[in-house]
């Protein structure tokens, strides 16, 4: 019996464990059942640089989890199975370990046979992303090490390969937010204690792993930059191996037709693209680019295929307001916060169709932009954004949002990962902006924030840089003052900074309307969160449409140029998405959402001037309502409060006097105006607690500021609008016969977005009391 027991124990130690099937996720998506059919995520993982030969290593790997930093094991089966590339906390990984599992060291193992026809070429081992620190061995020899959970890395494993079966072992250390061993890696929204706006971590390998054969001298990457003014594409090719005497042929194609070509070396050169078709959300046209590495005799050594879009993103003044310009034109960028979590795969979408789905829904809902929020997606996500036509704001994943005390080394690592992310995605036409910091998360000093933002701009001056999204919010250390965008977060909002200091005004987060959808929601701790709850889809849609109208009013009245609504899908415990977390229910009326968003975009194409208007000083004038159906009404005061009332030739003298003001130089700023009552000299039209009234000039700074108005071209494109001197973006507006200071963003009835532009536009007429 003892002998039998010993034999049984030896067999158990040496035999392989059973493969783990997918676990049951908290919610299934339409793609859950397809994720593990055949090879997971079988698509070529790098559409921006393709070669014909490659080998996908996704699928079943062996796994060992450890709480300690022990050594890898070679030539030995590991006790568990995991489905790569799904993170070990996900159901699709077949492991689905708890979020707070303390086994932060993961060991992956598999064997692979290199195809015989790869003989004579170098073999590269590619990882799309591994969170956070990975060390790789091939046949027991260390091939390389990489730190960074959001960027791709590659090792040349040729020297370590055998002719037959080859063993690959990957050791991953992912401390997430535990501070293990003094760690502080960039983690975005991951936490070991998920709840509220922070979610289950995604540890280990979470993007495709693959092998690729390349020539001894080969192309390693290609950067492309469109030049619209010259109808050319600037190209720079990077290589591996000895390329002495080599040259590069770059050819731009549409289909099989070469439209332009050029030969160059390994510094930047230009390829002509005659009559270039501009890439935009309305027309996301992509050219192909064929890059051939040639030896000194002109023979082909290596060839890769890429794509590009002819577009540029800049800033410039449009009718007096600094705006972002796409291909030289201002178009309002309206998007959502997209965090990229899945109930079945967490960080990893279950299939490529699923990966594209959220972007497709952005287009269906009328959005032209997406803010990828403190996560970086696989290369195929960017390809889908490029081909579908969505502008991308790419966040740099942050260090923890709590107790920031980064050392110099940790700050350096954060900046190193940021540089890698920019380098990896610089050829995507969809990417138009990078965000360095979010609401102070990971921020240790304002000087660091400014420096990081400037370095991103120096690294890629062809894109906009948002140094700090939501610098007005939360634990931010304040406005860094640099970058291309001045970004506020306002919940519910909307609201906006004013364009200033050479920066465009944007609303980086707002909204967050919530709706319960029983059977389609999940929370790791049982709690659910939204910034404002709505009772049903109709009310939810009504509220959203009102927010969009308010956003349009901010575009007209305050110079807002972009907005990011929270968010495209529900998440763990967070129910403020257009779609449920399982992507099975669209919670709003899709047609109405699309109509509201497209109306905002259309209005931006014809945005009017906000230029100052000169008024005749020291003369009497009356102010006529321009709202259709109410043009017989005029601004007047009664019992010190401002109203509108019908005035005509037969009106009493008192009414005519009340409806007449003398235009004076602004009490707080002579470049603006104040309006003195003709029948109560010394009293001026001013706002107080948003209500407009007549008040005596008591000489205080507050009174002078409240009674100063800056005349602008009317918000409807004609007439005059009167902007508050001390509350920029708020205008003199009539509502239900009363007169208010309003920005038309919603909330109080007198601040309704409906008819705001018309209600805030006046005709300056001859005085009723001359």
């Amino acid at each position: 019996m003892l002998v039998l027991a010993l034999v049984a124990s030896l067999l158990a130690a040496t035999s392989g464990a059973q493969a783990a099937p997918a676990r049951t996720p908290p919610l299934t998506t339409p793609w859950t059942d397809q994720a593990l059919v055949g090879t997971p995520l079988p698509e070529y993982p790098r559409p921006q640089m393709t070669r014909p030969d490659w080998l996908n290593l996704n699928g079943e790997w062996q796994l060992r989890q450890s709480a300690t930093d022990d050594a890898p094991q070679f030539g030995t089966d590991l006790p568990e199975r995991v489905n790569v590339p799904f993170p070990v906390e996900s159901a699709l990984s077949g492991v689905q370990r708890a979020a707070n599992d303390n086994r932060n060291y993961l060991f992956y193992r598999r064997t692979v046979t290199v195809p015989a026809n790869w003989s004579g070429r170098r073999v590269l081992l590619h990882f799309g992303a591994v969170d956070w620190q990975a060390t790789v061995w091939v046949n027991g020899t260390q091939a390389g090490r990489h730190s960074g959970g959001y960027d791709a890395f590659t090792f040349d494993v040729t020297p370590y390969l055998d002719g037959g079966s080859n063993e690959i072992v990957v050791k991953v250390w992912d401390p997430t937010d535990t501070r293990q061993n003094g760690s502080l890696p960039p983690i975005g929204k991951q936490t070991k204690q998920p709840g509220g706006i922070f979610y289950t971590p995604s540890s280990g390998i979470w993007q495709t792993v693959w092998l690729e054969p390349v020539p001894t001298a080969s192309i390693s990457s290609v950067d492309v930059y469109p030049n619209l003014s010259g109808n050319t594409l600037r190209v720079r090719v990077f290589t591996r191996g000895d390329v002495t005497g080599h040259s590069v042929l770059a050819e731009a194609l549409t289909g099989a037709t070469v439209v332009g070509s050029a030969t160059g070396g390994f510094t930047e050169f230009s390829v002509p693209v005659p009559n270039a078709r501009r890439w935009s959300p309305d027309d996301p046209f992509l050219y192909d680019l064929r890059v051939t590495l040639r030896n000194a005799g002109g023979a082909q050594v290596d060839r890769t295929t890429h794509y590009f879009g002819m577009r540029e993103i800049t800033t410039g003044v449009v009718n007096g307001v600094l705006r972002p310009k796409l291909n030289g034109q201002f178009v309002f960028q309206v998007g959502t916060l997209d965090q990229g979590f899945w109930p079945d795969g967490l960080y990893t979408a279950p299939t490529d169709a699923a990966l594209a789905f959220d972007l497709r829904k952005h287009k269906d809902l009328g959005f032209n932009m997406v803010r990828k929020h403190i996560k970086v997606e696989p290369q195929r996500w960017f390809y889908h954004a490029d081909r579908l036509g969505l502008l991308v704001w790419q966040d740099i994943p942050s260090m923890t949002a709590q107790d920031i005390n980064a050392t110099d080394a940790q700050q350096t690592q954060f900046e190193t990962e940021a540089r890698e992310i920019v380098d990896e995605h610089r050829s995507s036409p969809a990417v138009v902006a990078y965000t360095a910091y979010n609401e102070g998360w990971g921020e240790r000093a304002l000087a660091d924030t400014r420096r990081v933002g400037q370095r991103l701009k120096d690294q890629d001056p062809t894109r906009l840089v948002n140094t700090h999204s939501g610098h007005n919010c939360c634990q931010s250390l304040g406005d860094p003052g640099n970058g291309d965008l001045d970004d506020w977060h306002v919940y519910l909002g909307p609201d906006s900074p004013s364009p200033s200091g050479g920066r465009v005004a944007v609303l980086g987060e707002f909204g967050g309307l919530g709706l319960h959808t029983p059977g389609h929601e999940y929370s790791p701790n049982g709690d659910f969160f939204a910034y404002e709850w709505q009772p049903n889809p109709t009310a939810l849609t009504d509220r959203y449409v009102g927010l969009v109208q308010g956003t349009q009013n901010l575009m007209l009245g305050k110079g807002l140029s972009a907005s990011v609504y929270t968010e495209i899908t529900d998440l763990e415990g967070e129910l403020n998405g257009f779609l449920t977390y399982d992507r099975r229910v669209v919670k709003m009326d899709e047609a109405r959402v699309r109509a509201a968003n497209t109306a905002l975009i259309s209005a931006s194409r014809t945005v009017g001037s906000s230029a100052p208007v000169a008024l005749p000083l020291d003369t009497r004038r009356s102010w006529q309502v321009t709202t259709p159906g109410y043009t017989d009404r005029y601004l007047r005061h009664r019992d010190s409060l401002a109203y509108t009332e019908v005035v005509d030739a037969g009106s009493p003298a008192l009414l005519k006097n009340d409806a007449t003001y003398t235009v004076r130089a602004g009490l707080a700023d002579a470049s603006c105006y104040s309006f003195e009552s003709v029948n109560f000299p010394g009293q001026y039209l001013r706002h107080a607690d948003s209500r407009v009234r007549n008040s005596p000039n008591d000489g205080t700074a507050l009174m002078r500021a409240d009674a100063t108005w800056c005349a602008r071209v009317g918000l409807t494109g004609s007439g005059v609008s009167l902007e508050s001197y001390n509350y920029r973006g708020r205008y003199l507006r009539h509502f239900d016969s009363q007169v208010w200071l309003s920005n038309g963003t919603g909330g109080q009835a007198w601040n309704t977005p409906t008819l705001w532009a018309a209600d805030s536009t006046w005709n300056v007429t001859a005085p009723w009391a001359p």
Side-chain angles (χ1 to χ4, degrees), residues 85-104:
F86 297 103
V88 293
E89 292 87 356
S90 71
L92 288 176
S93 73
V95 181
Q96 201 177 26
R97 75 178 195 182
N100 62 356
D101 195 304
N102 70 349
R103 293 173 295 172
N104 296 331

Side-chain angles (χ1 to χ4, degrees), residues 374-387:
I374 47 181
K375 178 197 176 188
V376 184
E377 295 286 1
Q379 286 277 8
R380 291 196 64 83
W381 184 90
F382 291 88
Y383 165 66
H384 292 311
D386 293 335
R387 69 177 181 83

Side-chain angles (χ1 to χ4, degrees), residues 379-437:
Q379 286 277 8
R380 291 196 64 83
W381 184 90
F382 291 88
Y383 165 66
H384 292 311
D386 293 335
R387 69 177 181 83
L388 291 171
L390 277 166
L391 306 175
V392 173
W393 292 10
Q394 178 60 61
D395 289 7
I396 303 301
S398 66
M399 294 181 280
T400 178
Q402 311 301 327
D403 304 320
I404 306 306
N405 56 359
T407 65
D408 288 347
Q410 290 162 347
Q411 179 70 24
T412 297
Q413 178 63 31
F414 166 75
E415 295 181 32
T416 297
E417 294 187 31
R419 286 195 299 273
E420 290 297 321
I421 290 165
V422 173
D423 278 343
E424 194 166 320
H425 301 288
R426 64 169 71 241
S427 294
S428 166
V431 177
V432 295
Y434 286 105
T435 300
Y437 285 91

Side-chain angles (χ1 to χ4, degrees), residues 315-346:
T315 63
V317 175
V318 178
N319 285 329
V321 176
L322 188 66
R323 304 282 193 184
K325 289 184 171 183
L326 179 67
N327 303 332
Q329 301 294 319
F330 168 55
V331 57
F332 194 94
Q333 297 181 29
V334 54
T336 81
L337 204 69
D338 183 348
Q339 307 202 55
F341 279 76
W342 299 82
D344 46 12
L346 294 176

Side-chain angles (χ1 to χ4, degrees), residues 208-221:
T208 292
V209 185
W210 53 296
L211 288 173
E212 179 185 33
V214 298
T216 303
S218 65
I219 298 164
S220 60
S221 65

Side-chain angles (χ1 to χ4, degrees), residues 710-721:
C710 299
R712 311 288 188 201
V713 172
L715 294 167
T716 59
S718 61
V720 175
S721 292

